[in-house]
Amino acid sequence: MTPMENEVDSVAAGNWTTVLYKPHGGVLPARNFLISDADYVEVLTEIDIQTPIPEVIKQRRIGRSFVFIGCRFDDQLLRIYARQITKRSANVHYALVEPDALSRNERSFLLDQGLIPLAVALPRAVEILLAN
């Protein structure tokens, strides 16, 4: 497995078995940092109407679950963002979390959203994934 360093065209990704979608605050492709609450409001509105989500992701998520890797839900804006991203997908999702690292609010959010915590330290999870 070779790591991807560049964003690829949606059409090319449509033929892949696995697509990694990083929707939150990426530097690429357009240096689209989310800095203020106003940025979040704008992005959440667009996500609600599905504008910035690539077509390949829209199609693949129908009836499917998300696996959140390396995400913390310790901020209300991050929780809102996750709710918007998972719209129009399956009802059950997974979150790879550090054992014993979740706050009370994060645990509550996971439960409310049907996010099943997979309590595996991130380095160990990567090790497992790369071995398969």
Side-chain angles (χ1 to χ4, degrees):
M1 177 197 290
T2 12
M4 282 298 300
E5 293 181 13
N6 300 313
E7 182 175 341
V8 297
D9 182 79
S10 257
V11 175
N15 296 320
W16 295 356
T17 303
T18 303
V19 175
L20 178 63
Y21 173 52
K22 183 181 183 264
H24 186 269
V27 176
L28 297 172
R31 300 193 191 292
N32 53 350
F33 294 99
L34 298 175
I35 296 172
S36 70
D37 290 355
D39 293 335
Y40 270 99
V41 170
E42 183 177 333
V43 169
L44 291 173
T45 301
E46 287 182 8
I47 286 176
D48 192 43
I49 60 174
Q50 307 301 294
T51 303
I53 298 175
E55 192 60 36
V56 66
I57 301 301
K58 288 180 190 177
Q59 294 305 312
R60 287 187 180 210
R61 74 180 177 173
I62 296 172
R64 292 190 177 173
S65 298
F66 276 75
V67 177
F68 290 92
I69 300 172
C71 299
R72 290 297 307 262
F73 301 106
D74 55 352
D75 178 277
Q76 181 63 23
L77 290 172
L78 296 174
R79 293 190 291 268
I80 291 169
Y81 204 94
R83 278 189 205 101
Q84 295 294 80
I85 294 285
T86 57
K87 279 186 173 181
R88 299 169 184 87
S89 62
N91 292 330
V92 176
H93 305 285
Y94 304 89
L96 188 63
V97 297
E98 291 284 341
D100 306 320
L102 294 175
S103 68
R104 183 181 56 78
N105 284 342
E106 286 176 293
R107 285 192 302 275
S108 177
F109 173 75
L110 294 176
L111 181 64
D112 291 346
Q113 296 303 305
L115 275 155
I116 298 170
L118 305 174
V120 180
L122 191 54
R124 177 66 182 134
V126 169
E127 192 178 297
I128 292 167
L129 291 170
L130 290 177
N132 292 316

